[in-house]
Every structure is written in structure tokens, then in C-alpha cells.
């Protein structure tokens, strides 16, 4: 059975869907939910699911290296096989990603390689794109750049606001991330493109 540590910074809706998916014949189980933000709403949600939690406040450290050393030490204490970034908003350095090479996943709310970084939905709308979506990728030293393991697409509709699109994409994130994690935990790194959800009136 693989052990999965989930890193969050905020509400943790992706964390909840990942944790809820790791049951039955799933090849993995959550072993830790950690956050750089001690006030993250996702922490009490994880505790309510009976998952061990930890807060490593990045503001309490003099620099990124010191924060990452503390995060690394806390992760080692839980001995995860896989680290799943789920709305974790700290950029990890190459030193850190090298220590966990090939074992870190991230969900990003765009169709990578388009729109790495922030404000992905506003940029897709601004560009007049017809589609948006989300991607699960392996984490490497380059931000939002590692091998893509899965994607899901949604239409951008006339008059869409950033919030409209974010809500539509989040639904796909909650489908895609558990599906990719299950494959990854079974050592299947083949790319998964989720079929669009067909709305039935
Ligand atoms: C998600 O949209 C994720 O793609 C992005 O941050 C958001 C986190 O949402 N990186 P949640 O905390 O999982 O609800």
C-alpha cells in the first residue's frame, strides 16, 4: 500500500476528493495533510476525515531553504511514497524537488503548457480561447513544467467571468486528480485525457 502526503494552502477541496478516493482496492492511503498556512480551512477538514495533519508556517522561517528543510523533515517523519500538491501555493525549489524526484504530483488549473503560473482563467478568457481546463503533472524544478499525466477540458462560454470558469474547471479537477493519482500509485504514468462530461437535460 502506497502512502500519500497531500500539501495544501487553502480550502482543500482537491485534498478531500483525493482522500475520499483512497478507499477499497485503491493502491494508496493518505498518511498526512500538511500546509504552509496554519489557518488553511483544509486542515480541519482533513482532521475530520481522521488524517494526520501538520502546519509548517513558511512565514516563521528566514528563507525558502529553511522552510523547505522543515517541510522535508516533517514529510520524512510520515514517510510518504507520493506527495500530492493540492492548491499548495509555495513554489518548491530544485533542491527540494530533487529529493523527491518522480514522486510529486500537482494539479494546475490550465491546459499546460499554456498559462503556467497564476490567474490562468482570466488569461484564457482574455486570450479569447474556446477551451480551458486543468492538468495533473509531475513536479520538477521548473514551475508547472513537468511531464503531464492527465488533462480535462471545459468550454469557455460567452460572458464567462473568471469565477464562472474557475468553478467549471474545479469540477473537472475533482474528477481528474483522483483518477491520475490512482494510476500513479499503481505505477501507471500513461497520460489520461478525461472525456468531457455530457450534460443530459
Ligand atoms: C485549485 O483550483 C487548484 O488547481 C489550484 O488551487 C485551487 C485549490 O483549490 N492550484 P482547493 O484548495 O483544492 O479547493
Amino acid at each position: 500500500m502506497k502512502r500519500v502526503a497531500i500539501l495544501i494552502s487553502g480550502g482543500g477541496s482537491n485534498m478531500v476528493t483525493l482522500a475520499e478516493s483512497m478507499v477499497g482496492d485503491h493502491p494508496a492511503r493518505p498518511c498526512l495533510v500538511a500546509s504552509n498556512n496554519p489557518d488553511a480551512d483544509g486542515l480541519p477538514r482533513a482532521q475530520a476525515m481522521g488524517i494526520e495533519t501538520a502546519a509548517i508556517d513558511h512565514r516563521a522561517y528566514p528563507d525558502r531553504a529553511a522552510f523547505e528543510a522543515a517541510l522535508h523533515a516533517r514529510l520524512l517523519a510520515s514517510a510518504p511514497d507520493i506527495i500530492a500538491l493540492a492548491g499548495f501555493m509555495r513554489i518548491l525549489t530544485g533542491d527540494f524537488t530533487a529529493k523527491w524526484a518522480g514522486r510529486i504530483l500537482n494539479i494546475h488549473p490550465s491546459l499546460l503548457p499554456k498559462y503556467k503560473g497564476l490567474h490562468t482563467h482570466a488569461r484564457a478568457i482574455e486570450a479569447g480561447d474556446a477551451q480551458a481546463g486543468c492538468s495533473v503533472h509531475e513536479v520538477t524544478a521548473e514551475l508547472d513544467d513537468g511531464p503531464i499525466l492527465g488533462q480535462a477540458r471545459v468550454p469557455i462560454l460567452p460572458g464567462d467571468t473568471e469565477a464562472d470558469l474557475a468553478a467549471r474547471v474545479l469540477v473537472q479537477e475533482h474528477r481528474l486528480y483522483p483518477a491520475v493519482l490512482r494510476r500513479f500509485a499503481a505505477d501507471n504514468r500513461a497520460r489520461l485525457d478525461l472525456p468531457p462530461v455530457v450534460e443530459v437535460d
Side-chain angles (χ1 to χ4, degrees):
M1 186 65 75
K2 298 273 178 65
R3 297 166 60 82
V4 178
I6 307 171
L7 303 190
I8 66 171
S9 296
S13 71
N14 276 289
M15 176 275 295
V16 170
T17 59
L18 291 176
E20 287 177 343
S21 75
M22 288 187 264
V23 294
D25 66 353
H26 193 292
R29 294 291 185 271
C31 67
L32 176 72
V33 171
S35 177
N36 65 297
N37 168 14
D39 302 321
D41 290 339
L43 289 175
R45 296 177 82 179
Q47 287 151 8
M49 299 174 80
I51 305 169
E52 187 177 337
T53 62
I56 301 114
D57 189 340
H58 67 277
R59 298 163 297 187
Y61 297 88
D63 55 32
R64 199 175 286 275
F67 163 69
E68 287 187 351
L71 176 61
H72 181 66
R74 182 60 192 85
L75 285 165
L76 287 178
S78 292
D81 302 288
I82 298 168
I83 298 172
L85 308 184
F88 184 69
M89 302 309 282
R90 300 300 297 171
I91 296 175
L92 297 169
T93 68
D95 289 346
F96 184 94
T97 58
K99 290 187 179 110
W100 298 90
R103 300 161 62 189
I104 313 178
L105 302 178
N106 181 43
I107 181 103
H108 182 75
S110 82
L111 296 172
L112 292 171
K114 291 183 87 170
Y115 310 126
K116 297 176 180 180
L118 300 175
H119 314 303
T120 58
H121 306 304
R123 292 155 68 192
I125 292 169
E126 181 70 26
D129 291 356
Q131 285 193 322
C134 53
S135 308
V136 175
H137 63 96
E138 279 188 50
V139 173
T140 58
E142 294 304 314
L143 181 66
D144 301 331
D145 188 63
I148 295 170
L149 298 168
Q151 286 191 327
R153 295 169 179 271
V154 300
I156 299 180
L157 304 174
D160 263 350
T161 64
E162 191 179 352
D164 295 334
L165 190 51
R168 192 173 307 127
V169 171
L170 194 61
V171 171
Q172 298 309 311
E173 293 182 35
H174 295 167
R175 290 177 65 218
L176 180 68
Y177 212 175
V180 172
L181 175 64
R182 187 183 182 108
R183 293 155 69 96
F184 192 80
D187 300 317
N188 174 359
R189 281 175 163 70
R191 181 181 164 136
L192 172 66
D193 287 286
L194 281 188
V197 175
V198 179
E199 303 293 344
V200 181
D201 292 330

